[in-house]
Amino acid sequence: MTTDQNNQGQELSELNDNLARIEALSTRLANIIAHRKPVRSSLQAPGQEFFLETAGKVWAEILANPAKMIEHQASYWGKTLEHAIEAQAAIARGDFNSADDETPKDRRFSNPLWDSHPYYSYLKKQYLTTSQAMKEALGDVEGVEDSERKRLEFFTHQIIDMMSPTNFLATNPEAIERAVETKGQSLVAGLENLVADLEAHDGELLVKLVDDTAFEVGKNIATTPGQVVYRNRMMELIQYAPTTEKVHTTPLIIFPPWINKFYILDLKEQNSLIKWIVEQGFTLFVVSWVNPDASYADVGMGDYIEDGYLAAMREVKAITGQKKVNVVGYCIAGTTLSLTLSLMKKRGDTSVKSATFFTTLTDFSDQGEVGVFLDNDFVNGIEEEVKEAGYLDSFFMSRTFSYLRPNDLIYGPAINSYMLGKTPPAFDLLYWNGDSTNLPAKMTVEYLRGLCQGDQFAKGDFPLLGEHLSIEDVNVPLCAIACETDHIAAWKSSYDGFRQMGSKNKTFILSESGHIAGIVNPPSKKKYGHYTNEDWPAASSDWLDGATFHEGSWWGRWAEWLGAQSGKMIDAREIGDSDHKPLAPAPGTYVVAKPNI
């Protein structure tokens, strides 16, 4: 038998193996689809009223200004015809290496064929032209309120991003090239990845962003030494081991968001804020929230305050023998910290010496990008969902935040995984991002209705625990860190809320970058800078215009501020006391426990 015959036989064997794998995978895929758990339509898209009202206004604009519509159409079809003629001419003369492309740079179209090959160049140009035409048409629609226009633009962009030719196998040159190079193996691997992702979420597609086998909480992430010194139904309280001989008198408690897990602040050693804080000579405690199931259906914001915030403060004071503590709240935990401080003011509780807020919203009059999901059509659907299930499944939150950055968190990863057959990267931040938690039913509705929609706290009347809580009651020394490109807690909204707080001692720091990278920004990386301004103009834009930019992380500046609130230096404390024996080593048990769903 010749070498060619051996090669042909091997290729035929590989082909048959791949066909068998495809058949088995297709069977699994059909089974997933057949048993897919239905998701209520109100959680899948805006309500029909939104589409009908929007369509009505678009048609009204067309009828009122037919000349404008004709102008748009003429421009669009003119460019379309131009692209088609260019492509036909290049194909006719056999020119498959032309680089005459003046379209804007877009990393989705980084493969050279998008510029050089007439077919792919035509697809790209036509897609970009259509996208621009849709945006311009929407921009000309009159009689649309700002909030409604934001929603219209957002969901139109969702359609535009979804219809990119890079998202389809037949029009993605990189995927086709890889399929040829691997003799179809990449497509088989991609199908395996797709089926695995669907099976992991009961038939709903949530693209796997990271190789989760590369990390283990407590082994190679969340490894800063410490012990759980208190536990109740809502949280575990972790005290971290000192690494300095002397520590500040006043202890520090960090309250992380319970939408995700606390170890975003303790990933790898080189970017761990928790480790860094301990190294600065602070006695540090961190709350690790429980991942709730249906048995937590009646747990509300008040329970998080009483059994989370106030319980943690009580236990830390007992362990350290101090009458006051410093506290930090991150994202939703910062929002709830502000509620806690208002409640404590009304109760005459002076246990908090100072408070710091990371990327926190307290004024929801401008809801930012997340606001497109906070109208009644979505919130009604969420309320129906949690009433039935007892909790909001983490899937819904993960998917919602993914659609705020679809090309980075949905389509790009989907192309790599399903079309190119690649294994997701080993990236600690993305691993944490996928390790999300459920939300209790009562708390979810209270937060969405009372704070996000009603903006009751900023208006001075959020009813909770027998009191009417107000943003003006937050009057301890305060520091807030917001992030310049934050798409979850817009910095301008954070500034507006912080400015309304009643404290006369306030410091506002604006970090470069976004919701996570702007906070997890260790000084050693010398990556993102920050802005400061001691003045408090009414407009956030004026604050930024008058701000001073500083190279490097804000961590050192905050540590100086916090040190001034933390008293003299004393001998480092042992972990716990006679009434607070270690219950488990950090990062604890709640952070790795699975809820009973």
Side-chain angles (χ1 to χ4, degrees), residues 221-506:
I221 51 176
T223 59
T224 302
Q227 293 284 339
V228 174
V229 292
Y230 176 78
R231 179 188 295 129
N232 64 18
R233 185 180 180 224
M234 295 302 300
M235 57 90 176
E236 288 184 329
L237 181 65
I238 302 170
Q239 182 179 359
Y240 285 90
T243 58
T244 57
E245 292 184 2
K246 298 288 185 177
V247 296
H248 288 279
T249 304
T250 306
L252 176 67
I253 310 173
I254 295 180
F255 297 97
W258 51 87
I259 291 175
N260 285 91
K261 296 181 179 179
F262 82 90
Y263 64 87
I264 183 59
L265 300 176
D266 190 31
L267 293 172
K268 296 178 181 177
E269 288 188 10
Q270 57 267 34
N271 60 2
S272 169
L273 179 58
I274 285 175
K275 180 176 182 292
W276 186 87
I277 288 173
V278 172
E279 291 173 344
Q280 308 313 304
F282 294 97
T283 301
L284 178 63
F285 296 80
V286 176
V287 165
S288 174
W289 301 103
V290 71
N291 190 357
D293 53 28
S295 67
Y296 285 75
D298 293 329
V299 166
M301 300 290 288
D303 296 291
Y304 276 90
I305 290 175
E306 293 280 20
D307 297 329
Y309 291 78
L310 297 180
M313 293 178 198
R314 180 189 67 234
E315 301 304 322
V316 169
K317 288 192 298 180
I319 292 171
T320 62
Q322 295 299 305
K323 295 181 179 180
K324 291 181 180 289
V325 298
N326 291 320
V327 290
V328 176
Y330 191 172
C331 191
I332 189 176
T335 305
T336 311
L337 175 58
S338 67
L339 300 177
T340 304
L341 293 172
S342 174
L343 178 69
M344 295 173 74
K345 169 73 180 303
K346 292 185 179 298
R347 291 180 175 180
D349 186 340
T350 60
S351 298
V352 171
K353 193 171 184 180
S354 76
T356 300
F357 298 95
F358 295 166
T359 63
T360 294
L361 293 181
T362 50
D363 181 337
F364 290 86
S365 56
D366 183 354
Q367 299 163 342
E369 293 184 50
V370 182
V372 298
F373 296 107
L374 294 176
D375 275 32
N376 277 331
D377 46 8
F378 279 110
V379 176
N380 289 345
I382 291 173
E383 192 165 6
E384 293 169 1
E385 175 71 19
V386 299
K387 183 178 180 181
E388 180 179 304
Y391 63 96
L392 183 65
D393 194 288
S394 61
F395 165 78
F396 295 109
M397 294 299 297
S398 296
R399 187 177 64 174
T400 296
F401 287 124
S402 292
Y403 275 109
L404 295 177
R405 293 291 183 269
N407 290 322
D408 294 332
L409 298 177
I410 299 176
Y411 302 121
I415 290 169
N416 283 326
S417 185
Y418 308 148
M419 290 190 200
L420 304 180
K422 295 181 178 180
T423 300
F427 186 17
D428 57 350
L429 180 59
L430 290 180
Y431 177 85
W432 165 85
N433 185 69
D435 194 13
S436 53
T437 61
N438 304 322
L439 300 178
K442 182 179 179 181
M443 170 263 141
T444 301
V445 175
E446 286 178 329
Y447 180 73
L448 293 177
R449 294 295 190 194
L451 293 173
C452 296
Q453 286 191 325
D455 199 19
Q456 293 173 323
F457 186 56
K459 293 176 180 177
D461 189 22
F462 183 69
L464 195 67
L465 297 172
E467 300 286 354
H468 289 267
L469 307 182
S470 170
I471 197 170
E472 295 180 353
D473 291 331
V474 182
N475 64 349
V476 299
L478 302 173
C479 181
I481 294 89
C483 297
E484 193 173 15
T485 59
D486 195 331
H487 62 290
I488 296 173
W491 82 265
K492 292 184 177 181
S493 296
S494 180
Y495 175 86
D496 291 341
F498 196 59
R499 187 174 176 274
Q500 296 173 58
M501 292 180 178
S503 175
K504 295 181 180 179
N505 181 351
K506 292 185 288 191

